[in-house]
């Protein structure tokens, strides 16, 4: 058990007088240096994100007081200034990577502004797809997951705006997860987020198959689920991704049972509902027990 | 003797021998899986309750009985029975809500139910159930207050700060429930039945006050002055102040789940703040740009070494 979990357990049992001090003593709660590093990162990340979002909101307002020339000048100057900052400071610093992220946001603002000003008749999915494609080289340059995650989010939004088939979401997120697992498995945040998106997409595929037999997704789901469980149990232990796959399985099995039970006998409505509740409870309790068992190994 | 216990004894933070070791609790994602599954099972059990007890009075009694049975099952060591207890208790609460007449008098019933939920949350040691009852109670109160729902931000923010900072002996599950409610209240305000709250600035002001208190707790007077400055700018965007509050408490109290919730809440709020009807896009953009610039300037001023 980690020192943090141990102290919290003792505190809940009423043994620790001052939890904050105990956490500090065990070096679990942050000291001055850790606070400084955290606040610096928080202010940089939040400041960059809010400033970028504020500028995008500003151009979305379509303020007529500003002529088109001034609007383009503002966005382009900000874009170039962010690039210049990252170039001069070198990509190793957190401020430079934040500047590159800001530049990526401004690229989207520029495309939106072009669409707003010239009304070219382009579809929204093209804006998001082009935006995602253009920031890929910067993501390579930054060598951190934040710009890759932005690329993945924009690609998903482009698919949603198209609107694409469910299988496209599953393939896109699965490919992103596989690439992360292959090239940068050390930082678990990005592959976990991509893995959660993959689980969501494959769950949607399973539901589509269950409620619309014409959809040919059962094979894809039945390949993905055991593969995920085997890979993250045996080869690269990641309980979060196992939990995501198990949750997906619970949803799929519940929907399958609900469909079968309610179609077979609509008269036993109360009994069928109770039976499904018991199935969900049993599956989730077994999943939690297995996850706890894996955590102890 | 456990070296950590020995360290705490030497610092006079604990007395005597260490208690017998107990297995560690599940990780947050196991709690999330169990919560989601219990909620789905509770939906089906609610159908059973409503179909079985067809009249309001009977449904209220049936709901109370299911809730009591669920609370009893939560004490069981069996994972299956515990999970069944969780689902039965949540379904019982839903049955009680319908039985009390939520469709006849929504506001009164929601307010009564919000008060009732405090009792089962105190009668159990199950962390998921504690968090559920706390969050549901605050959200029901917010729903009952309708246009004045931003005022419940004060209750949620105060409970989070109280549990994590003022009285950390209180189980953290109550704080997690209040934090989830704090994030959800704003969504309820914008996407609920009344997208035009009576006091649009109240939520931001109250979340800001909690942020100032938290900054004072961790950094003293100087921190509270900076937090007050940021909170003032953020009054029209209460979700950002709430997310910052949750982030700070999560990091300072070594609660990474809370830190993650703060980040997710901030991103979710930004994406739906765009559609908020209380302010024009121009006002919203000015608030966000001013906050962003203030945070970047503060970082430049406070951490000059980081900029070198």
């Amino acid at each position: 058990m980690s020192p943090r979990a141990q102290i919290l357990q003792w505190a809940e049992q009423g043994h620790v007088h001052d939890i904050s001090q105990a956490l500090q003593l065990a070096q679990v709660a942050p000291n001055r240096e850790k606070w400084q590093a955290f606040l610096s990162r928080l202010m940089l990340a939040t400041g960059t994100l809010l400033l970028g979002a504020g500028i995008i909101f500003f151009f979305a307002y379509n303020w007529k007081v500003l002529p088109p020339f001034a609007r383009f000048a503002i966005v382009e100057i900000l874009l170039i200034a962010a690039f210049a900052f990252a170039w001069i400071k070198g990509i190793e610093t957190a401020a430079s990577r934040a500047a590159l992220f800001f530049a990526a946001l401004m690229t989207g603002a520029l495309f939106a502004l072009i669409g707003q000003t010239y009304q070219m008749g382009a579809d929204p999915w093209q804006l998001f797809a082009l935006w995602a494609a253009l920031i890929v080289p910067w993501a390579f340059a930054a060598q951190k997951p934040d710009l890759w995650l932005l690329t993945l989010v924009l690609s998903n939004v482009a698919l949603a705006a198209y609107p694409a088939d469910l299988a496209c979401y599953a393939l896109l997120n699965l490919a992103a997860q596989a690439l992360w697992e292959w090239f940068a498995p050390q930082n678990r945040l990005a592959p976990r987020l991509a893995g959660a998106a993959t689980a969501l997409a494959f769950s949607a595929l399973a539901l589509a198959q269950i409620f619309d037999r014409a959809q040919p997704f059962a094979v894809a789901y039945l390949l993905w689920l055991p593969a995920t469980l085997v890979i993250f149990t045996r080869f690269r232990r990641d309980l979060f991704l196992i939990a995501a796959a198990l949750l997906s399985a619970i949803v799929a099995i519940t929907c399958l049972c609900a469909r079968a039970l309610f179609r077979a006998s609509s008269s036993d409505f109360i009994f069928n509902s109770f039976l499904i509740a018991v199935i969900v409870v049993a599956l989730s309790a077994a999943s939690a027990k297995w996850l706890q068992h894996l955590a102890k190994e | 003797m456990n070296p950590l216990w020995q360290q705490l004894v030497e610092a006079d933070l604990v007395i005597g021998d260490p208690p017998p070791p107990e297995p560690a609790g599940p990780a947050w994602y196991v709690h999330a899986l169990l919560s989601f599954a219990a909620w789905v099972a509770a939906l089906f059990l609610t159908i059973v309750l409503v179909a079985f007890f067809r009249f309001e009075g009977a449904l209220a009694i049936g709901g109370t009985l299911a809730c009591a049975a669920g609370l009893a099952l939560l004490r069981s060591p069996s994972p299956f029975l515990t999970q069944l207890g969780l689902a039965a208790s949540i379904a019982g609460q839903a049955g009680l809500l319908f039985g009390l007449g939520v469709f006849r008098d929504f506001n009164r019933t929601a307010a009564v139910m919000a008060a009732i939920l405090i009792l089962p949350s105190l009668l159990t040691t199950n962390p998921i159930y504690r968090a559920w009852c706390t969050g549901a109670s605050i959200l029901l109160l917010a729903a009952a207050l309708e246009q004045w729902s931003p005022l419940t931000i004060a209750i949620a923010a105060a409970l989070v700060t109280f549990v994590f900072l003022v009285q950390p002996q209180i189980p953290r599950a109550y704080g997690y429930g209040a934090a989830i409610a704090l994030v959800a209240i704003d969504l309820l305000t914008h996407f609920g039945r009344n997208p035009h709250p009576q006091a649009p600035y109240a939520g931001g002001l109250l979340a800001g006050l909690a942020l100032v208190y938290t900054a004072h707790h961790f950094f003293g007077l100087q921190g509270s002055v900076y937090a007050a400055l940021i909170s003032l700018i953020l009054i029209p965007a209460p979700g950002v102040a709430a997310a910052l509050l949750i982030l700070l408490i999560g990091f300072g109290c070594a609660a990474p789940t809370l830190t993650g919730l703060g980040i997710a809440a901030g991103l979710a709020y930004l994406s739906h703040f765009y559609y908020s009807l209380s302010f024009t896009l121009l006002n919203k953009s000015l608030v966000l740009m001013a906050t962003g610039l203030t945070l970047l300037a503060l970082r430049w001023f406070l951490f000059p070494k980081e900029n070198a």
Side-chain angles (χ1 to χ4, degrees), chain A residues 204-224:
Chain A
L205 283 186
L207 297 192
Q209 170 77 72
I210 290 166
F211 293 110
D212 180 4
R213 289 258 165 119
Q215 305 276 2
F217 297 136
V219 178
Y221 187 76
L222 290 175
L223 283 173
W224 168 78

Side-chain angles (χ1 to χ4, degrees), chain B residues 14 56 66 98 141 163 205 211-212 215 232 272:
Chain B
V14 290
E56 276 187 357
F98 296 142
L141 187 63
V163 169
L205 193 67
L211 188 63
V212 171
L232 275 177
H272 97 267

Side-chain angles (χ1 to χ4, degrees), chain A residues 1-13 15-23 25-26 28-30 34-51 53-61 63 85 89 93-95 192 238-240 242-244 246-247 250-251 254 258 262 269-274 276-278 280-289 291-292 296, chain B residues 2 4-5 7-8 11-15 18-30 32-34 36-38 40-42 44-45 47-48 51-52 54 79-80 83-84 87 130 164-165 168-173 176 217-219 230 234 240 244 247-248 251-257 259 267 270 273-274 280-282 284-286 288-289 291-293 295-296 298-300 302-303 306-308:
Chain A
M1 195 189 296
S2 69
R4 173 183 163 275
Q6 183 68 81
I7 290 173
L8 291 178
Q9 193 182 71
W10 287 335
E12 281 217 13
Q13 292 165 347
H15 297 293
V16 185
H17 314 309
D18 189 335
I19 297 166
S20 316
Q21 220 180 324
L23 289 170
L25 194 72
V28 176
K34 281 185 184 167
W35 261 121
Q36 281 190 352
F38 172 76
L39 286 177
S40 169
R41 268 186 300 164
L42 178 68
M43 285 177 175
L44 184 65
T46 316
T48 307
L49 189 66
L50 294 186
L51 186 61
I55 292 167
I56 291 172
F57 281 31
F58 179 78
F59 286 109
Y61 179 68
W63 202 16
F85 183 86
K89 296 275 277 185
T93 65
R192 279 181 169 192
D238 191 322
L239 297 184
F240 172 83
I242 298 172
L246 288 173
L247 187 59
I250 292 170
V251 170
T254 306
F262 287 120
F269 187 75
I270 298 177
F271 178 73
N272 287 346
S273 299
F274 182 74
I276 292 166
V278 172
V280 177
V281 165
L283 288 173
S284 55
S287 301
K289 196 166 182 182
L291 284 165
Q292 282 285 81
K296 278 182 199 158
Chain B
N2 186 321
L4 181 60
W5 182 268
Q7 210 180 349
L8 297 178
D12 204 20
L13 291 168
V14 290
I15 303 167
E22 283 183 25
W28 70 268
Y29 42 81
V30 181
L33 183 148
L34 287 170
F36 179 78
V40 173
F44 286 100
L45 288 180
I47 293 171
V48 174
F52 201 75
R54 296 188 178 195
F80 174 78
Q83 184 69 350
L84 187 62
R130 279 174 170 166
F164 282 93
L165 304 181
Q169 285 83 4
I170 295 173
R172 288 186 165 190
Y176 285 118
H217 177 89
F218 287 125
F219 317 113
I230 295 167
L234 280 175
V240 182
L244 282 176
L247 255 171
L248 274 187
F251 185 76
C253 297
T257 312
T259 314
L267 292 174
L270 262 189
F273 185 50
Y274 185 84
T280 65
L281 258 181
L282 185 64
K284 285 186 256 186
S285 79
L286 292 176
L288 294 181
M289 283 194 280
T291 315
L293 284 172
L295 284 168
L296 292 175
L298 272 180
R299 178 182 180 269
W300 193 267
L302 290 171
F303 309 110
E306 300 276 336
N307 302 310

